[in-house]
Amino acid sequence: MSRPFVVSIAGFDPSAGAGVLADVKTFEQHQVYGFAISTANTIQTENEFVAIQWTDLDFVLQSVQTIFNSYDIKAVKIGIVPSLEYLREIIFSIKKHSPQTKIVWDTVLKSTTEFDFLTIENQTTLIEILKEIHLITPNYDEILQLSSKGINAETTAMLLSKYCPVLLKGGHKPDEIGFDYLYLENEFFRFHPKTKKEIFEKHGSGCVLSSAITANLAIGQNLKTACENAKTYTENYLLSTPSKLGHHYV
């Protein structure tokens, strides 16, 4: 097959606005072949989160082993996970089977419907994980949960970028909505919105952005270009409908 193989390891959202369904839609539009491994089954719509049932870790690891033994996986996007230990086992399994595979972690620590997925408690484990990841994509609310109390978002991003690149999304920053910052170890880049049109809020927009970056990395784009192009794709997604569920197109 001519398309690179990528994998989404994330939750199943019946509304298809977020999680593995949204990721695979995004992969398809980027001309990569997407696989999916579910970390959780959820009951939700774009407006309401009802319940979540986590997938047993051994089942997920067996899925990782099966997929990676069968295909050359270029990149992986990871979404919701119940704990850092769960995430660490997945990442280490990926690296064991395919050290060159790039990993993007969309740091979903709380759903937009205020349902907690992950509480950061062990900073040592977090750093251990970050050293194996190609990029994390927190928003301004999420990144504060990745740091010690009292440190602002920008400083946290700079500190974490010692371990892996950080794309700090600006959708939740009141004074600079839509401006994203990519922090590398010794420099950073500012990405401004490409459109001046009214942007409509979407359920799962963070999933779309992170999976678009994953796809762009799989087709050989460098990290800065992958993030810039993914931002443009996500803006088009946000503009596609006035509702919280959007349409995917190039």
Side-chain angles (χ1 to χ4, degrees), residues 9-10 76-81 87 90-91 94 103-106:
I9 303 178
V76 174
K77 173 264 174 84
I78 300 178
I80 60 170
V81 290
L87 175 62
I90 292 172
I91 290 172
I94 291 170
I103 300 174
V104 175
W105 177 29
D106 182 21

Side-chain angles (χ1 to χ4, degrees), residues 81-229:
V81 290
S83 69
L84 284 180
E85 289 72 21
Y86 191 103
L87 175 62
R88 180 175 58 185
E89 290 300 315
I90 292 172
I91 290 172
F92 282 12
S93 179
I94 291 170
K95 290 299 183 178
K96 174 185 175 182
H97 290 93
S98 182
Q100 75 281 1
T101 296
K102 294 176 179 178
I103 300 174
V104 175
W105 177 29
D106 182 21
T107 52
V108 183
L109 305 180
K110 180 177 287 188
S111 75
T112 52
T113 49
E114 298 303 303
F115 188 96
D116 283 308
F117 290 126
L118 174 66
T119 300
I120 300 295
E121 296 174 344
N122 190 329
Q123 204 74 11
T124 302
T125 302
L126 175 62
I127 291 171
E128 188 179 8
I129 287 169
L130 294 179
K131 288 180 178 179
E132 301 294 334
I133 293 179
H134 199 66
L135 177 72
I136 60 172
T137 60
N139 61 36
Y140 272 77
D141 295 332
E142 292 166 345
I143 198 164
L144 294 178
Q145 298 181 57
L146 295 172
S147 69
S148 302
K149 292 183 179 180
I151 302 178
N152 64 30
E154 291 82 0
T155 301
T156 300
M158 287 188 288
L159 291 172
L160 294 179
S161 68
K162 294 189 300 181
Y163 308 109
C164 83
V166 178
L167 180 66
L168 183 57
K169 299 178 294 190
H172 291 73
K173 189 181 182 185
D175 60 334
E176 242 186 352
I177 293 179
F179 286 82
D180 301 340
Y181 288 82
L182 175 62
Y183 289 87
L184 306 180
E185 186 173 3
N186 297 310
E187 60 182 334
F188 71 90
F189 301 96
R190 182 173 184 259
F191 303 139
H192 60 82
K194 301 296 191 298
T195 179
K196 295 183 179 180
K197 297 179 182 179
E198 180 184 3
I199 292 291
F200 302 104
E201 180 185 356
K202 290 287 181 292
H203 169 59
S205 57
C207 298
V208 173
L209 177 66
S210 58
S211 56
I213 294 170
T214 304
N216 289 335
L217 292 173
I219 60 178
Q221 295 179 11
N222 64 47
L223 185 57
K224 179 175 179 287
T225 302
C227 291
E228 285 183 304
N229 289 339

